[in-house]
Amino acid sequence: MRLLVVGRLSGQLATAVKMAMAHGAKVSHVERGDQATEQLRRGQGADLLMVDYRIDIAGLIAANEAERIHVPVVACGVDADASDAAAAIRAGAKEFIPLPPEADLIAAVLSAVADDDRPLISADPSMKAVIMLADQVARSEASILITGESGVGKEVMARYLHNGSKRAERPFISVNCAAIPDNLLESELFGHEKGSFTGAMARRIGKFEEADGGTLLLDEISEMDVRLQAKLLRAIQERVIDRVGGTKPVPVNIRIIATSNRDLAKSVAEGTFREDLLYRLNVVNLRLPALRERPGDISVLADHFVKKYAAANGVPVRPISAAARLALVSHRWNGNVRELENAMHRAVLLAVGPEIDVEAIRLPDGQPLGAGSHGAASYNDPAARAAQTADAVTRAHVGQTVAQMEKTLILDTLSHCLGNRTHAANILGISIRTLRNKLNEYADEGVQIIAPQSGVAASGYAAA
């Protein structure tokens, strides 16, 4: 883990730094907020900023976001009172660490942003076969394409490959190609020179250079514009990049891992993805099965999530009842591991009594797992559940226009996905761009569009 400390390195702050280093953090230090932004801009990345509360935290975060640099901030300080801590949190800090520090608190904060709590858990033979192949190729230099539905854990697999590679001690840098507009993605990947376009106030090192020596994950690469795919192909072939506005190539030494929830061969046939780039990326293909295809993983993952969120919320670890386990295994889990994780998070908070029973495991709309449209169908009576659902759908849709039906379907699917645009687009069978255009159209009509609910959806197992 990379920790950037911002502030004067006083005795107490130096002690906190030593504690962080004892827990495996690689620490760098600057005294001012502008120096922190400049260091991040130069590609000397960090997973966490530990900032003296007397520094302008809001200004530091704003300066970073202006450069599209998103690094969590924790505030710290000596002799800070409750109002100082509250002000730091309001300014954007995630936590406040009083100094002199406590070793347990430092460890907890570092653990909260580290990847150590995102293990690749599996008990199902189909998934174990994929993990065995991953172990075979992890130490190679081959580019790897990880495919599978949204939510199956593609990014977790990418981190597993990196941690098992010869580059494990070097950076692991992830770029979500679907989340960054096309006109900004080139700069995000390759960096830019000062003055190369409006707003380029200083040189910015891109993700290729930041990942030098390590691994670069290109998440949802199917959403990358064809023009940019040509530049990416050259970077992979020649191991050099060109910054936007640059005059000379920059050598890079990275391993590429890419993910996609779409059929890239079909995208090639449709002309939206370059065939030569697919060959370069797909030296080894790891297809992660959907959760419904690996039912042996459901119980072990559910148990892990119960322990994880019981600890995070300070509540007792309750076992999952036999009836609840049957309901979990019977559910289709269209949202894959992400949906299961969110469901178990809710179950930990809603459970009463000595066990987590069926009633505590609820869908995003609040209904118990397996309930029909009117809540009357038993989770183990699929015929009754299907009949009730079909009846409700028919009555709800009669009299609507096609446009109204489309809007209802898109908004309901987005709500089901807790605002996750990539997941919703995958379920609907449309591109992320089409979905965004539709949502912008509905927003212009005054419809309130659900935002991604990151407070419920945890990172890790379903980050793909």
Side-chain angles (χ1 to χ4, degrees):
M1 176 186 174
R2 301 168 296 171
L3 175 66
L4 176 57
V5 177
V6 186
R8 292 189 178 277
L9 210 56
S10 64
Q12 301 294 354
L13 186 54
T15 300
V17 167
K18 290 178 181 178
M19 288 182 179
M21 293 175 68
H23 285 89
K26 298 177 181 178
V27 181
S28 56
H29 168 251
V30 294
E31 291 194 354
R32 304 193 314 270
D34 60 329
Q35 293 173 327
T37 300
E38 178 59 28
Q39 183 162 318
L40 296 171
R41 187 188 291 121
R42 292 200 305 266
Q44 299 173 11
D47 300 304
L48 179 68
L49 302 183
M50 183 182 291
V51 183
D52 189 313
Y53 76 96
R54 291 167 294 189
I55 286 175
D56 181 5
I57 292 176
L60 170 59
I61 293 173
N64 288 345
E65 290 183 346
E67 295 284 350
R68 302 184 305 283
I69 298 171
H70 304 287
V71 182
V73 171
V74 296
C76 61
V78 180
D79 299 327
D81 57 25
S83 62
D84 294 325
I89 298 296
R90 285 196 297 270
K94 302 295 184 184
E95 301 283 351
F96 187 90
I97 302 175
L99 301 179
E102 297 180 7
D104 290 344
L105 182 57
I106 293 291
V109 170
L110 295 180
S111 177
V113 296
D115 299 320
D116 297 340
D117 62 342
R118 306 171 71 184
L120 188 59
I121 295 173
S122 179
D124 193 274
S126 63
M127 188 63 181
K128 283 186 172 295
V130 180
I131 295 174
M132 186 179 298
L133 177 57
D135 290 336
Q136 283 184 259
V137 301
R139 293 186 62 80
S140 73
E141 291 297 306
S143 298
I144 295 178
L145 178 64
I146 305 173
T147 57
E149 295 179 7
S150 181
V152 293
K154 296 191 289 294
E155 183 172 351
V156 176
M157 175 58 79
R159 291 180 182 274
Y160 180 83
L161 287 164
H162 172 73
N163 291 336
S165 74
K166 293 179 286 188
R167 300 172 178 263
E169 299 302 315
R170 302 295 295 168
F172 175 89
I173 304 298
S174 175
V175 181
N176 189 329
C177 300
I180 304 173
D182 292 336
N183 61 329
L184 298 179
L185 184 57
E186 181 177 9
S187 172
E188 190 75 12
L189 289 173
F190 302 108
H192 61 253
E193 297 290 349
K194 179 180 179 180
S196 57
F197 55 83
T198 303
M201 306 303 293
R203 171 185 285 181
R204 166 77 187 278
I205 297 301
K207 298 302 184 183
F208 264 85
E209 289 179 81
E210 189 176 339
D212 193 42
T215 302
L216 177 64
L217 170 62
L218 299 175
D219 201 14
E220 302 302 349
I221 195 169
S222 56
E223 302 301 325
M224 182 181 290
D225 182 77
V226 174
R227 181 190 62 83
L228 192 53
Q229 291 174 25
K231 189 168 183 177
L232 173 61
L233 178 63
R234 176 178 180 269
I236 296 174
Q237 289 176 330
E238 307 297 333
R239 293 186 176 272
V240 296
I241 63 163
D242 297 306
R243 298 192 193 110
V244 177
T247 57
K248 60 180 181 179
V250 179
V252 290
N253 172 26
I254 62 172
R255 184 197 200 175
I256 296 287
I257 298 177
T259 75
S260 176
N261 60 11
R262 297 187 180 278
D263 183 347
L264 288 183
K266 182 178 179 182
S267 298
V268 169
E270 294 171 347
T272 59
F273 201 84
R274 292 179 62 110
E275 186 175 29
D276 47 4
L277 177 58
L278 176 58
Y279 290 147
R280 282 287 178 178
L281 295 173
N282 196 24
V283 177
V284 178
N285 177 243
L286 297 178
R287 178 194 173 274
L288 303 191
L291 188 56
R292 61 185 173 274
E293 298 171 1
R294 42 175 164 133
D297 284 349
I298 295 175
S299 283
V300 293
L301 285 170
D303 286 335
H304 174 78
F305 293 140
V306 167
K307 294 176 182 177
K308 175 180 178 179
Y309 289 111
N313 291 281
V315 299
V317 177
R318 295 180 173 91
I320 302 171
S321 71
R325 285 190 189 278
L326 180 58
L328 288 170
V329 174
S330 302
H331 190 65
R332 185 170 173 78
W333 300 114
N334 290 326
N336 291 297
V337 186
R338 179 185 291 116
E339 184 184 3
L340 174 64
E341 182 170 10
N342 293 338
M344 299 318 297
H345 190 176
R346 286 189 291 269
V348 166
L349 301 177
L350 298 176
V352 294
E355 293 184 316
I356 293 178
D357 210 344
V358 178
E359 286 299 312
I361 306 174
R362 296 180 174 268
L363 300 174
D365 61 4
Q367 292 192 58
L369 188 67
S373 301
H374 301 97
S378 169
Y379 70 87
N380 58 4
D381 188 357
R385 183 167 68 246
Q388 287 185 348
T389 301
D391 179 64
V393 168
T394 300
R395 287 185 286 103
H397 290 166
V398 170
Q400 291 192 27
T401 66
V402 172
Q404 289 170 330
M405 289 274 289
E406 180 186 65
K407 181 191 294 186
T408 299
L409 178 60
I410 288 175
L411 295 178
D412 285 352
T413 303
L414 188 66
S415 177
H416 168 76
C417 298
L418 300 179
N420 186 298
R421 271 63 172 164
T422 302
H423 185 190
N426 184 50
I427 291 175
L428 292 164
I430 60 178
S431 72
I432 190 72
R433 292 186 183 86
T434 300
L435 177 60
R436 287 185 183 134
N437 290 338
K438 290 291 183 182
L439 295 179
N440 289 336
E441 178 183 326
Y442 302 154
D444 291 341
E445 296 173 359
V447 177
Q448 186 173 359
I449 307 298
I450 184 174
Q453 297 178 24
S454 58
V456 175
S459 62
Y461 306 88

